Amino acid sequence: MSLFVCPVCGCPLDRAENLYRCERGHSFDVAREGYVNLLPANRQHSKAPGDDKAMAAARTRFLDGGWYGPLQEKLCQLTGDLLPPSGALLDAGCGEGWYTAALAQIVETKGGRTAGVDLSKPAVKRAARRCPSGEIAVCSVYHLPMAEESVDLLVNCFSPLAIEEFGRVVRPGGHFLYVVPGPRHLWELKELLYDHPYENEEKAEDYPRFRLTGVVPVETAFTLTDRTDIQALYHMTPYTWKTPKEGAERLDRVDRLAVTAQFRIHCYQRV
């Protein structure tokens, strides 16, 4: 039995080698890369929703460099601490699967199962290849193809916050890890791009059905000495859409960049 349910009727899905099917006959092919598309046509508001190929490639190159390794390690540690034996983990907004694949290894040691979802088909293709032990699907986090109270641990890393859906699918007593940027995340990059950069707002709040149990800070510093890596970092962030022309030109002239990455992991428990 799959962790996913049918996005059309909500019935459980059975997974065969190349197909997902529900008892009412709705079926969904498994793509060559190993993912399944569970985004109904009436919820697809553009021909290519989510991040495009260029952004997926940039994020893959940068994350594969290991620069965000401390965040990945902390998420793995928390997963080991919070996930019960045989538990189910959902990476909501999994992107290219860099975090998902590492988390799946922890889940496997506990006899559990992993699912990852994202709106971007180019990203999901990469995630499925990177995490063959998990179930990876194209869908919206605002309409998760998951049964109510079917997830023990939900991870959301720099992705849209669909708190009503998260509250629906996480079991009472289960956990939700929400990763957001710290106040001065990528500050040195912002100083190059903008004449008047500002700090990110730092706040932690309770959400319906969830109780905040703590905030775990993670910070790391590194120096990029390859222009391709610098551009990959830039193009995986929302700054690529919002940067003034002058700021982008300043970045183009840089071949060395010292960077501080500052994260906050907001830890919640489902009540």
Side-chain angles (χ1 to χ4, degrees):
M1 189 70 68
S2 170
L3 286 172
F4 296 130
V5 299
C6 178
V8 178
C9 66
C11 290
L13 285 173
D14 283 319
R15 182 180 181 181
E17 183 177 354
N18 297 309
L19 189 74
Y20 283 81
R21 185 189 299 275
C22 78
E23 62 186 23
R24 295 187 180 179
H26 302 120
S27 62
F28 308 88
D29 293 333
V30 176
R32 180 180 67 255
E33 295 86 353
Y35 72 92
V36 60
N37 192 334
L38 298 180
L39 181 65
N42 61 356
R43 292 179 185 159
Q44 184 170 320
H45 302 302
S46 69
K47 290 184 178 180
D51 294 342
D52 60 20
K53 288 183 179 180
M55 181 167 277
R59 189 178 290 112
T60 296
R61 178 183 174 92
F62 180 80
L63 292 175
D64 281 349
W67 310 110
Y68 282 6
L71 175 60
Q72 185 190 68
E73 292 170 8
K74 181 57 68 174
L75 287 172
C76 286
Q77 177 191 323
L78 290 169
T79 295
D81 293 341
L82 298 174
L83 188 75
S86 303
L89 179 145
L90 172 64
D91 189 351
C94 67
E96 300 70 30
W98 189 72
Y99 298 102
T100 322
L103 296 174
Q105 293 182 23
I106 306 300
V107 175
E108 284 186 61
T109 66
K110 308 195 82 168
R113 295 189 292 168
T114 301
V117 300
D118 201 279
L119 192 60
S120 165
K121 188 179 292 186
V124 163
K125 287 181 178 181
R126 293 172 181 268
R129 290 193 292 261
R130 193 189 292 271
C131 188
S133 66
E135 293 188 87
I136 308 295
V138 175
C139 76
S140 167
V141 296
Y142 295 99
H143 299 280
L144 291 169
M146 313 283 294
E148 291 188 10
E149 300 181 359
S150 60
V151 173
D152 296 285
L153 176 60
L154 188 148
V155 177
N156 179 268
C157 187
F158 290 109
S159 294
L161 179 65
I163 199 64
E164 290 187 8
E165 272 293 85
F166 297 171
R168 182 183 69 83
V169 302
V170 176
R171 292 189 177 103
H175 296 272
F176 165 39
L177 300 179
Y178 181 34
V179 182
V180 299
R184 294 177 69 84
H185 180 59
L186 305 182
W187 185 254
E188 298 87 351
L189 176 63
K190 292 173 74 171
E191 285 185 310
L192 269 173
L193 298 177
Y194 304 107
D195 293 331
H196 304 288
Y198 60 88
E199 293 187 359
N200 301 313
E201 183 180 4
E202 183 154 32
K203 62 178 181 178
E205 55 187 307
D206 286 329
Y207 294 110
R209 297 189 179 185
F210 289 101
R211 174 177 61 88
L212 181 68
T213 60
V215 178
V216 179
V218 179
E219 186 166 329
T220 184
F222 49 87
T223 300
L224 303 176
T225 58
D226 186 313
R227 285 192 177 187
T228 306
D229 288 332
I230 294 171
Q231 288 296 319
L233 172 61
Y234 169 57
H235 285 291
M236 70 178 249
T237 70
Y239 306 142
T240 189
W241 299 314
K242 301 186 288 187
T243 299
K245 179 181 178 181
E246 297 79 6
E249 290 175 347
R250 284 196 295 268
L251 187 66
D252 284 341
R253 296 192 291 269
V254 169
D255 55 16
R256 182 183 179 88
L257 182 64
V259 183
T260 301
Q262 194 177 73
F263 313 100
R264 300 289 185 265
I265 306 174
H266 294 183
C267 305
Y268 294 90
Q269 187 166 31
R270 172 75 154 77
V271 295

